[in-house]
Amino acid sequence: MNDYPKEFLELLQSVTAKRPRTVIQHILEHGFITSEELKNIYGYNHPPRAVRDVREYGIPVVTYRVTGKDGRSIAAYRFGDPSQAKNILSKATGRTVLSKALKQALIDKYGSKCFIYLDTVDESVLQVDHRIPYEIGGEHSEEDTDYFMLLSPSANRTKSWTCQHCENWERKDSDFCLRCFWAYPESYEHVAGKYEKIISLVFSGNEIEDYRKLIELSGEENAQKLIKRIIHEHLN
């Protein structure tokens, strides 16, 4: 820790959110953290997302490759040049941290539910996300809540992975995102560039028994096909 400038250490210590702080503390103690450690030690199944959380605080993180325990090449992360650290208090120099006030405004407006799965979620676990990924659409004023959405942790991870593997991640066309399910599930033309439509089914309470019977009948891989067939036969 003594190798880092005082200002950089103060920036690191200012991060209190659990996931990015976990990454920061591990790197401070060990010099780096691997995707293997993020999964096996801390239970983060999407390591790039955890590292992205750190970068969103204006902290430079460098990605490189190391050999994992099974001999495969895996990703590892360490701090970059401290002089490249951005002041997160200034919108001109980096992405700002979305406030609790914005989250509450969205809950007041839409209720405590996930925009993707449409199920009610404890507001303590709901996460605020830019409808159009920050890397593509940039920053927006929190006063305009239409630019943001509430997501369950599962939906946020799935959206993050999907967006980063979408053809538009490199092209960065905001209009493309405006028509995508992952930005506006209430009105969309495509799903990450594919002409598809999605209905999210969540089973809860007594419905879980129906889910179990469905899986027993069809198997998990064929459940979607069976549901589609039942719907088709019903509509006809």
Side-chain angles (χ1 to χ4, degrees), residues 165-214:
H165 290 79
C166 175
E167 62 187 53
N168 194 46
W169 193 252
E170 297 297 330
R171 195 168 68 233
K172 300 190 185 308
D173 180 357
S174 294
D175 289 338
F176 180 92
C177 292
L178 283 171
R179 303 191 302 274
C180 181
F181 167 81
W182 291 104
Y184 289 90
E186 62 268 43
S187 177
Y188 62 97
E189 296 178 7
H190 64 84
V191 181
K194 298 179 181 179
Y195 182 66
E196 297 175 337
K197 294 295 180 181
I198 293 177
I199 295 177
S200 298
L201 290 177
V202 178
F203 295 81
S204 60
N206 295 333
E207 298 168 344
I208 293 177
E209 186 59 31
D210 293 335
Y211 170 81
R212 289 174 178 160
K213 290 179 180 179
L214 173 66

Side-chain angles (χ1 to χ4, degrees), residues 217-234:
L217 178 65
S218 65
E220 191 166 354
E221 292 184 0
N222 294 316
Q224 187 178 105
K225 294 179 180 179
L226 178 58
I227 292 172
K228 288 180 180 179
R229 190 175 78 230
I230 292 172
I231 292 173
H232 180 74
E233 291 174 353
H234 176 76

